[in-house]
Amino acid sequence: MVTTLVKDLTFEEYLNYDDGTDFKYELVNGKLELMNPPKIEHFLIVKFLEKMLDEEIQRLILPWLCFRETGVRTGNKKSRLTDLSVVTLEQAKELINSSAVFQSPPLLTVEVVSPESVKRDYRQKRSEYAALEVPEYWIVDPLESKISVLLLEDGLYEETVFTANQKIISRTFSEFNITVEQVFNAGNLV
């Protein structure tokens, strides 16, 4: 994670920031933090989960959408990029002609852990998403072969850890029928 030379941006300046590159940044306390490009395993896991969540949304005919790499405003001068977010159709309509940075909490946020994002995903985003009142947050950790499902209860997350062939239990998707093993197998090319 690298902090850029740009100093003390407002949230509105962040929404309009363009350095002429394809780099992706998060806004943390007014500073831009460069996000490293993910590894192939990361892309494959995110792609698999997006497909599974999209299929579940369609099957249940829910007015929801699943997006990759959207922003979520988590504070006055803070915005995080999520690996996946599930939002309502109404939330998406509010941003139809704007930057895809949600200012209201997604229904579900998913982060896939990489070696450089452990502290960010487990600590910083966890506390920021709880403060924003994101009702459900998944931490998909291929480094530890586990998926933590965090459910918001009285302002704090209650965590359940799933491993191996355990089915992921979700409050948002109560009929979801995917195991941890299936998720991590999706990250393999063999």
Side-chain angles (χ1 to χ4, degrees), residues 128-182:
E128 290 174 35
Y129 292 160
L132 183 61
E133 297 183 345
V134 174
E136 188 167 341
Y137 171 36
W138 293 8
I139 303 172
V140 179
D141 190 341
L143 308 172
E144 299 286 331
S145 299
K146 66 181 183 177
I147 296 177
S148 302
V149 174
L150 296 94
L151 301 175
L152 195 64
E153 299 291 341
D154 300 321
L156 298 171
Y157 281 124
E158 296 293 329
E159 180 177 6
T160 305
V161 176
F162 301 95
T163 60
N165 62 353
Q166 289 182 305
K167 183 177 138 188
I168 301 165
I169 307 295
S170 168
R171 184 166 53 200
T172 307
F173 292 94
S174 60
E175 298 175 28
F176 203 53
N177 194 18
I178 301 294
T179 67
V180 172
E181 197 170 61
Q182 287 174 288

Side-chain angles (χ1 to χ4, degrees), residues 20 35 44 57 64 77 83 87 95 127 141 182:
M35 296 294 102
L44 293 171
I57 289 167
W64 300 349
K77 290 185 176 184
D83 286 319
V87 299
L95 298 178
S127 64
D141 190 341
Q182 287 174 288

Side-chain angles (χ1 to χ4, degrees), residues 59-90:
R59 185 182 74 78
L60 297 172
I61 314 169
L62 297 169
W64 300 349
L65 299 166
C66 183
F67 291 111
R68 265 191 252 184
E69 298 181 359
T70 59
V72 175
R73 184 177 187 174
T74 59
N76 183 35
K77 290 185 176 184
K78 289 184 179 180
S79 184
R80 297 295 188 169
L81 295 174
T82 67
D83 286 319
L84 286 174
S85 286
V86 175
V87 299
T88 66
L89 188 57
E90 287 305 311

